Amino acid sequence: MEINEQQIQNLASHCLTCKTKPCQKGCPLSNDITEFIKNIKEKKYHQAYQTLLDTTVLQPVCGRICPHFKQCQGTCIRGIKSEPVSIGVLETYIGDMALNEGWQIEKIEEDKDKKVAIVGGGPAGLTAASYLARRGFKVCIYEKHETLGGLLVHGIPDFRLPRETIKQTIQKILKLGVEVKTKVELGKDITLEELKEEYDAVLLTFGANISSKMHCEGEELKGVYGGNELLEYKDYPDFTDKNVAVIGGGNTAMDTARTINRMGAKKVTVIYRRARKQMPAEAKEVDEAIEEGVEFLFQTNIVKILGQDRVQKVECIKTDLIKVDDGREKPVNIEGSNYQIDMDYVIMALGSNPDKQVLETLGLELNEWGYIKTDEKHETSKENVYSAGDISGAKSTVSWASRSGRDSAEEIYERLK
């Protein structure tokens, strides 16, 4: 939706310029939102961009796809009695203006004789690369795909995040002198030890994108896919006139359901074992999915997937929400409420895990959940090897991955400067 300057001024004027800045506390990147909106009010648009640049290089990306109501906008004082400030819209406007006007990311320190390898070109890797390159380090990003972007390209559909926006945002980062080597996969084309020999530090940010499984009967049938893999490799079967079940309640489930729905499916049904209010997905993503015709079955669980060789039906069971000791509501199956639905495909969008095969080649210590174990400085069990983003167990949003990349880059900078 196009938005003009007058509309932006109206949105900015809604901000109370709070001295306590609760929105900044709600932002994973700690963007100085109050100051950047104050600059917008004064029509100091370039200064608003510079204010954001202190903490983020992904303004046009985060402005579009961050779960704002769970983060910055969710802590906005205005939201107590009325609508919160539209922080995402304002950030998108400034981010797009920076791209259109050619505002660059300036270096802030002299070049140094230090080299850092970053494995993975997603939000964490890109943010870390920009931080280190701005401070004069020689940075090279290794990426297994043909293009950089990670989750931004291989996990978020272009109707939510335009590919041209991603491309231009990445180009700004690369103009800092960041080198890129694509189609190079760690553990296959290059080893961690080889990188350690060539670089002063190595940062692993290649994500955790293996779809979780339900471990239910019939999961091995043809027609059962992982949502992460479908979005990443875009090797879709023909969904035309098919009934498709998407299991899960996060943004990956919404992205998968909306993508398949646009591919001509007869009916796409999202099955989620809790209530709508408990869905991890952003509310607006759920609303848009419903508007587009995606159906939802709340408080419903999958018992088994049925079929001869390939998917034909799913057996569901209704759930009740029972409060447990810590006050959370836990879904419990209601005995005897089973029923079956005709289905052609089942997509698992229940979360993601690290690629165990890749991790096994690295010889790094893992934590109890199977992610790369790091200390408080983001360093792994091998000296000068760091890890950030999903692969180290960071919260799975773009802004949290970016924050993790920035924090790890700060530690590398302190070690090597």
Side-chain angles (χ1 to χ4, degrees), residues 333-348:
N333 293 343
I334 299 174
E335 189 174 344
S337 65
N338 304 53
Y339 64 101
Q340 295 181 359
I341 310 173
D342 290 337
M343 207 61 68
D344 300 297
Y345 291 97
V346 176
I347 315 300
M348 298 294 179

Side-chain angles (χ1 to χ4, degrees), residues 74-94:
T75 57
C76 176
I77 294 296
R78 278 288 197 185
I80 297 175
K81 293 185 177 180
S82 64
E83 288 297 311
V85 177
S86 300
I87 298 168
V89 176
L90 294 170
E91 185 178 7
T92 300
Y93 185 81
I94 294 300

Side-chain angles (χ1 to χ4, degrees), residues 296-315:
F296 285 77
L297 293 177
F298 295 110
Q299 291 186 234
T300 303
N301 211 349
I302 293 288
V303 178
K304 65 179 74 171
I305 304 168
L306 305 167
Q308 297 293 327
D309 187 45
R310 66 165 299 110
V311 176
Q312 293 175 310
K313 295 176 182 290
V314 292
E315 183 171 324

Side-chain angles (χ1 to χ4, degrees), residues 121-147:
L126 290 168
T127 300
S130 68
Y131 183 95
L132 292 166
R134 291 189 80 188
R135 286 153 183 80
F137 285 69
K138 296 179 178 68
V139 180
C140 181
I141 299 176
Y142 288 81
E143 169 59 48
K144 71 175 182 178
H145 292 291
E146 288 187 21
T147 57

Side-chain angles (χ1 to χ4, degrees), residues 27 114 269 368 397:
C27 172
K114 296 292 182 181
T269 306
E368 58 187 300
T397 69

Side-chain angles (χ1 to χ4, degrees), residues 62 72 197 211 263 268 339:
C62 290
C72 55
E197 288 179 14
S211 295
M263 296 175 70
V268 178
Y339 64 101

